[in-house]
Amino acid sequence: MGLRVAVAGATGAVGVEMLKVLERSSLNVDELHLLASSRSAGKTMTFKGEELTVKELTEDSFAGLDLALFSAGGSISKKFRQACVDAGCLMVDNSSAFRMEEGVPLVVPEVNPDAAKQHQGVIANPNCTTIIMLTALAPLHRVNPIKRIHAATYQAASGAGQAAMEELYNGTRAYLNEESFTPEVLPFPYAFNLFPHNSPLQENGYCEEEMKMVNETHKMLEDQSIKVHATCVRVPVLRTHAEALNIEFTNEMDIDEAYALLKGAPGVQVLEDRESNRWAMPIDASEQYDVYAGRIRKDISQDKTLDLWVVGDQLLKGAALNAVQIAELVLG
Ligand code: A2P
């Protein structure tokens, strides 16, 4: 018998992608339940050619289900966790609600697949920038442990949901038409602009997004001693994040060796044309499953250190795809 699956937040930017990824996945989905707020109840969405009706997410939504993919925000995940677990339904949660909780595995299948097996009903999907970064770094870290990561990120609108993507469209249109436009989803004008990530500022001056990269890297690589430093910036791109990574290793790492490791790594593609000075861009990685990496340089300022450029679709590997891959690991 196949699996009975729910997507909580099915109408959102990530939820819509979860449906598409599930259609292509190796999971044998027998039944799919689309759950969202009461605002969306009655809407229809298509899965494998069949029209399905969206229902309101309630505590009774999980009876008899095997898997629930959650992407409706942290407060919804917290509210429905117990009902989901009590129903014996595996919760794969895209929010940050449980990521740092002991007993909740935080998993990228290419990085720490074994952690998924320790779950007690809930598995957390990591932060999108961290997933994209570690998918590219894990194959290097395995042969030459990383001592320090410095990351600068260029993050797309999709990380703030469907409404932020629409605001980028509308703000751009208004800008081109020389009309006034007041942003409502993001705090600042986004079209033809950029700003440091707007997640809440912490006492140490880092924003929450930056600290997620620090803390989640430590948890997934199971090494608190790795120094991680990040500067996260929102740029007016729709759905793909880019990251400039500066990585200090334990030992010297040859550029050719790094390229060879990335070329052989699952979930990673090397994409670049050095002669044309062309490197992976959001237009290359958007709607693609793999993370695209390249532009490896030896840091001229410091030994044992390489620079790496990575781009990845925030909605896919950064969210929906990774969540479905976690489910494939455990239930496939
Ligand atoms: P809805 O479309 O009915 O508001 P995004 O991340 O793109 O903003 O999407 C958020 C997702 O979470 C949407 O599917 C949204 O449904 C869903 N959601 C928001 N609030 C609730 C709620 N109170 N109960 C269930 N789903 C919710």
Side-chain angles (χ1 to χ4, degrees), residues 109-111 135-136 139 142 261-269 290-291 317:
E110 293 88 344
V111 177
T135 301
R142 265 182 216 116
L261 288 166
L262 290 180
K263 281 181 182 159
V268 184
Q269 281 190 47
D290 287 338
V291 161
K317 188 57 186 167

Side-chain angles (χ1 to χ4, degrees), residues 9-14 35-37 39-40 43 57 71-73 76 160-163:
T11 50
V14 173
L35 308 170
S37 77
R39 296 180 292 275
S40 302
K43 277 189 190 166
L57 171 63
S71 191
I76 300 296
Q162 184 60 39

Side-chain angles (χ1 to χ4, degrees), residues 57-279:
L57 171 63
T58 69
E59 304 229 319
D60 301 325
S61 298
F62 311 102
L65 303 192
D66 303 294
L67 167 69
L69 301 171
F70 269 77
S71 191
S75 59
I76 300 296
S77 296
K78 284 182 190 158
K79 184 170 170 195
F80 291 99
R81 172 192 191 160
Q82 203 57 49
C84 184
V85 172
D86 286 349
C89 174
L90 173 67
M91 178 184 204
V92 177
D93 183 37
N94 191 51
S95 83
S96 60
F98 318 121
R99 285 183 191 148
M100 298 312 296
E101 188 178 306
E102 214 170 303
V104 175
L106 183 66
V107 179
V108 176
E110 293 88 344
V111 177
N112 59 341
D114 293 342
K117 293 172 195 143
Q118 315 297 324
H119 80 84
Q120 296 159 25
V122 182
I123 302 178
N125 205 35
N127 161 266
C128 48
T129 18
T130 314
I131 295 177
I132 291 163
M133 175 173 82
L134 291 189
T135 301
L137 293 187
L140 309 179
H141 178 68
R142 265 182 216 116
V143 302
N144 191 347
I146 290 169
K147 289 179 73 175
R148 180 177 184 270
I149 300 171
H150 166 75
T153 73
Y154 309 80
Q155 299 189 211
S158 56
Q162 184 60 39
M165 295 170 79
E166 278 162 30
E167 188 163 284
L168 176 55
Y169 266 120
N170 295 336
T172 305
R173 195 176 291 116
Y175 188 99
L176 293 174
N177 290 336
E178 296 181 19
E179 292 161 1
S180 73
F181 183 82
T182 308
E184 285 170 4
V185 182
L186 290 166
F188 310 111
Y190 201 11
F192 301 97
N193 192 27
L194 56 81
F195 44 88
H197 200 282
N198 54 298
S199 54
L201 212 56
Q202 313 294 291
E203 265 184 18
N204 63 3
Y206 286 63
C207 69
E208 195 175 77
E209 182 84 355
E210 291 161 349
M211 290 313 296
K212 284 177 185 172
M213 294 185 77
V214 177
N215 297 328
E216 296 184 22
T217 295
H218 287 159
K219 179 163 175 173
M220 280 188 278
L221 297 184
E222 294 178 49
D223 187 349
Q224 299 287 327
S225 74
I226 298 173
K227 292 179 182 154
V228 185
H229 166 262
T231 301
C232 294
V233 176
R234 282 203 195 276
V235 297
V237 167
L238 272 176
R239 57 180 288 162
T240 291
H241 289 351
E243 304 182 26
L245 305 176
N246 181 264
I247 312 299
E248 184 185 343
F249 295 93
T250 304
N251 303 303
E252 276 301 335
M253 174 156 321
D254 193 62
I255 291 182
D256 291 340
E257 185 189 3
Y259 273 114
L261 288 166
L262 290 180
K263 281 181 182 159
V268 184
Q269 281 190 47
V270 171
L271 182 77
E272 60 177 41
D273 180 353
R274 199 163 276 262
E275 278 172 21
S276 322
N277 200 6
R278 188 207 187 284
W279 317 96

